[in-house]
Amino acid sequence: MLSWALTFLIIALVAAVLGFGGLAGTAAWAAKICFIVFIILFVVSAIAGRRTPTV
């Protein structure tokens, strides 16, 4: 998921440099959404991994 966020970020930066404002905004929005989902899944997996199984 983090790799998708970085990919969309690079696409947004290249599009912004080339003057494609609409595409840059959309790619930046997609990068932000992917990064937020990555952070949420990371926190959930970190919390779930710290739990000890009860017998």
Side-chain angles (χ1 to χ4, degrees):
M1 188 64 63
L2 187 58
S3 64
W4 280 104
L6 291 175
T7 302
F8 281 121
L9 179 64
I10 291 171
I11 291 171
L13 290 174
V14 170
V17 167
L18 294 176
F20 298 107
L23 180 64
T26 303
W29 175 79
K32 187 188 325 184
I33 296 299
C34 287
F35 186 71
I36 290 170
V37 170
F38 167 76
I39 293 295
I40 291 170
L41 291 176
F42 175 75
V43 169
V44 167
S45 67
I47 291 172
R50 294 181 74 85
R51 290 185 30 201
T52 56
T54 57
V55 179

